mmCIF file of all heavy atoms in Angstrom:
data_model
loop_
_atom_site.group_PDB
_atom_site.id
_atom_site.type_symbol
_atom_site.label_atom_id
_atom_site.label_comp_id
_atom_site.label_asym_id
_atom_site.label_seq_id
_atom_site.Cartn_x
_atom_site.Cartn_y
_atom_site.Cartn_z
ATOM 1 N N LEU A 23 -0.511 1.743 -19.748
ATOM 2 C CA LEU A 23 -1.894 2.184 -19.859
ATOM 3 C C LEU A 23 -2.197 3.309 -18.870
ATOM 4 O O LEU A 23 -2.826 4.307 -19.214
ATOM 5 C CB LEU A 23 -2.810 0.980 -19.600
ATOM 6 C CG LEU A 23 -4.246 1.070 -20.004
ATOM 7 C CD1 LEU A 23 -4.387 1.271 -21.503
ATOM 8 C CD2 LEU A 23 -4.983 -0.189 -19.581
ATOM 9 N N VAL A 24 -1.764 3.134 -17.629
ATOM 10 C CA VAL A 24 -1.944 4.156 -16.591
ATOM 11 C C VAL A 24 -0.617 4.290 -15.845
ATOM 12 O O VAL A 24 -0.181 3.350 -15.189
ATOM 13 C CB VAL A 24 -3.063 3.780 -15.596
ATOM 14 C CG1 VAL A 24 -3.191 4.841 -14.507
ATOM 15 C CG2 VAL A 24 -4.388 3.583 -16.303
ATOM 16 N N PRO A 25 0.040 5.426 -15.969
ATOM 17 C CA PRO A 25 1.297 5.607 -15.246
ATOM 18 C C PRO A 25 1.066 6.078 -13.810
ATOM 19 O O PRO A 25 0.116 6.800 -13.525
ATOM 20 C CB PRO A 25 2.007 6.694 -16.056
ATOM 21 C CG PRO A 25 0.893 7.486 -16.650
ATOM 22 C CD PRO A 25 -0.246 6.514 -16.880
ATOM 23 N N TYR A 26 1.925 5.625 -12.907
ATOM 24 C CA TYR A 26 2.041 6.158 -11.557
ATOM 25 C C TYR A 26 0.743 6.098 -10.745
ATOM 26 O O TYR A 26 0.349 7.057 -10.085
ATOM 27 C CB TYR A 26 2.565 7.605 -11.635
ATOM 28 C CG TYR A 26 3.384 8.016 -10.432
ATOM 29 C CD1 TYR A 26 4.573 7.370 -10.118
ATOM 30 C CD2 TYR A 26 2.967 9.056 -9.622
ATOM 31 C CE1 TYR A 26 5.318 7.753 -9.015
ATOM 32 C CE2 TYR A 26 3.707 9.454 -8.516
ATOM 33 C CZ TYR A 26 4.884 8.789 -8.218
ATOM 34 O OH TYR A 26 5.618 9.169 -7.124
ATOM 35 N N ALA A 27 0.054 4.942 -10.796
ATOM 36 C CA ALA A 27 -1.172 4.765 -10.018
ATOM 37 C C ALA A 27 -0.819 4.399 -8.571
ATOM 38 O O ALA A 27 0.101 3.622 -8.324
ATOM 39 C CB ALA A 27 -2.029 3.659 -10.637
ATOM 40 N N LYS A 28 -1.552 4.945 -7.627
ATOM 41 C CA LYS A 28 -1.291 4.679 -6.210
ATOM 42 C C LYS A 28 -1.928 3.354 -5.803
ATOM 43 O O LYS A 28 -3.096 3.088 -6.099
ATOM 44 C CB LYS A 28 -1.860 5.805 -5.344
ATOM 45 C CG LYS A 28 -1.568 5.635 -3.874
ATOM 46 C CD LYS A 28 -2.067 6.832 -3.081
ATOM 47 C CE LYS A 28 -1.722 6.671 -1.611
ATOM 48 N NZ LYS A 28 -2.169 7.827 -0.828
ATOM 49 N N VAL A 29 -1.157 2.500 -5.093
ATOM 50 C CA VAL A 29 -1.647 1.217 -4.596
ATOM 51 C C VAL A 29 -2.357 1.462 -3.267
ATOM 52 O O VAL A 29 -1.771 2.003 -2.327
ATOM 53 C CB VAL A 29 -0.494 0.207 -4.395
ATOM 54 C CG1 VAL A 29 -1.020 -1.095 -3.817
ATOM 55 C CG2 VAL A 29 0.239 -0.037 -5.704
ATOM 56 N N LEU A 30 -3.637 1.064 -3.199
ATOM 57 C CA LEU A 30 -4.399 1.200 -1.963
ATOM 58 C C LEU A 30 -4.393 -0.095 -1.162
ATOM 59 O O LEU A 30 -4.207 -0.069 0.054
ATOM 60 C CB LEU A 30 -5.845 1.613 -2.270
ATOM 61 C CG LEU A 30 -6.020 2.944 -2.992
ATOM 62 C CD1 LEU A 30 -7.497 3.188 -3.290
ATOM 63 C CD2 LEU A 30 -5.446 4.080 -2.174
ATOM 64 N N LEU A 31 -4.625 -1.218 -1.832
ATOM 65 C CA LEU A 31 -4.679 -2.524 -1.180
ATOM 66 C C LEU A 31 -4.054 -3.586 -2.068
ATOM 67 O O LEU A 31 -4.154 -3.507 -3.297
ATOM 68 C CB LEU A 31 -6.130 -2.945 -0.911
ATOM 69 C CG LEU A 31 -6.987 -2.082 -0.012
ATOM 70 C CD1 LEU A 31 -8.430 -2.574 -0.046
ATOM 71 C CD2 LEU A 31 -6.471 -2.092 1.405
ATOM 72 N N LEU A 32 -3.475 -4.591 -1.454
ATOM 73 C CA LEU A 32 -2.995 -5.771 -2.167
ATOM 74 C C LEU A 32 -3.671 -6.999 -1.596
ATOM 75 O O LEU A 32 -3.733 -7.163 -0.380
ATOM 76 C CB LEU A 32 -1.472 -5.929 -2.031
ATOM 77 C CG LEU A 32 -0.624 -4.944 -2.804
ATOM 78 C CD1 LEU A 32 0.849 -5.160 -2.488
ATOM 79 C CD2 LEU A 32 -0.870 -5.079 -4.286
ATOM 80 N N GLY A 33 -4.194 -7.852 -2.458
ATOM 81 C CA GLY A 33 -4.815 -9.090 -2.006
ATOM 82 C C GLY A 33 -6.067 -8.890 -1.181
ATOM 83 O O GLY A 33 -6.453 -9.752 -0.425
ATOM 84 N N GLY A 34 -6.679 -7.713 -1.275
ATOM 85 C CA GLY A 34 -7.919 -7.475 -0.554
ATOM 86 C C GLY A 34 -7.723 -7.084 0.897
ATOM 87 O O GLY A 34 -8.666 -7.011 1.647
#
Side-chain angles (χ1 to χ4, degrees):
L23 196 62
V24 178
Y26 210 62
K28 183 176 182 179
V29 177
L30 299 177
L31 299 172
L32 288 176

